[in-house]
Amino acid sequence: MPALPNNTAAWTALENHAQDAQNLSIPHLFQVDPQRGDRLTAEGAGLYLDYSKNRVTDDTLTLLLDLARETGVEAKRAAMFAGEKINVTEGRAVLHTALRAPRDATVMVDGRNVVPDVHDVLDRMAAFAEQVRSGRWLGFTGKPLKNIVNIGIGGSDLGPVMAYEALRHYAQKGLTLRFVSNVDGTDLTEKTRDLDPAETLVIVSSKTFTTQETMANAQSARTWLLAALEDDAAVARHFVAVSTNAEAVQIFGIDPANMFGFWDWVGGRYSMDSAIGLSVMLAVGPDGFRELLAGFHDMDEHFRTAPLERNLPVLLGMLGIWYNNFHDAQSHAVLPYDQYLAYFPAYLQQLDMESNGKHITLDGQTVTYQTGPVIWGQPGTNGQHAFYQLIHQGTKLIPCDFIGFCQTLNPLPLGNGAPHHDLLMANVFAQTEALAFGKTLEQVLAEGVPADLAPHRVFDGNRPTNTILADRLTPRTLGALIALYEHKVFVQGAVWNINSFDQWGVELGKVLAGKIVPELHAESEPELKHDSSTNALIRRYRARR
Ligand code: F6P
């Protein structure tokens, strides 16, 4: 068993170093090392990372990488890529990396090379997608299908909707995609209100095919479809399923020929590059989807082979640990400066918080150190006009990742005299500069600000940021970016010695909801045996609904 992080020499050294580092300021670090902005950078899979605006010296970085080594990050990484059952609480391998392995690769699970299986499904998906996109797949009344409704939740929704929005520029025009996730009937109602069932394909996406929300939405979608098409046989032309549970798919009434499978070694939040991405493939086409997978694979290879000192996921992961475990930072903001990445923070919330929101170690002990942070954010520049005030001048330390692209997909020549994209990117650079370097009282007073107002106008600076730049948002860059965060989460979970691949924390609420459902719609007053708060809430709901 690798050492618990706080039993390592590196952890103790980092604690001591953190005491000294209290006086470390980013402006000072740049003063003593003017080349820092060129030096503390790394590149991989088409992504450029500038991590110079962090409260770190070369010693800090050495100690952080020592911590990674002492906690066995490299051995754990090897175990994951090799298909070992590192998801110990569920006895499963963790092989989302196999989903993007090239056709000639070999990845063994239980004595079987799974790569041919992966490519068989991809080929079936591609054949289906071509039929729908070309209008050759006809609905029950003979019309081509031009609306696609993905029904799923969590990993069966957030990845596809994020990637579809991110790649909208590349999506086939004339196809309308909708993503229904919430069991709130409003979601399905509003997303189908203007769609013609005769022209609509419904993809029911669920790894387990038992998830309450998805099953309810799928049933209601079927009712919606059959109300218009009035023949059960229509389901076969308008419903497909993506799942690991062939039996449940068949029981639901979807033809197994219209099912695209994946495997228990793919976690829900790591599944968007499996058949769960069918909606994305329908939008951007099989070639676009393969490019996305190639981007994931580029980052997998970078993560697997680059030295830790230049390894993007390792650097991001360990920098996060520096603030999380040695500076009491409670959260981490991800701020994409690209409207297409509007759903990226929401996607990362599940990826990171469902993975590392744990307090029990791999061997069943309660941790005595902090684990996963709260992840949040929204696209710049909107966030600037909402919550950046707190990041700049609040009392909380919030490390941030800024993500930007050198080329825009939508060049608008002039907004206020400069191209829109220059306006956008100027904000990326300005924000990280302002957060790092701030503005002193002397500077404020020198500007002629009255002494009583001056403290309000001071920016302390020394607020850490990473900047991730790519040339252009393409399917391939997107794949690399997603895999960067997947592996960052892996690195942190490995250091904290927790299982990043189960999610038992979501179970209790599911079970209790299952018990409460019949109590809500029982005809006669049910005998309620909850606490007094829950009982009273249920009674009030029953009385007033
Ligand atoms: O939220 C719990 C969870 O199990 C997620 O991990 C998963 O992505 C989501 O529910 C949906 O599960 P399924 O794909 O099985 O419907």
Side-chain angles (χ1 to χ4, degrees), residues 153-156 206-208 211 214 268-269 350 354 503 506 510:
I153 197 163
S156 301
S206 174
K207 179 177 171 182
T208 55
T211 304
T214 300
R269 54 194 172 275
Q350 187 200 15
E354 199 166 84
Q503 57 283 320
V506 301
K510 284 187 195 172

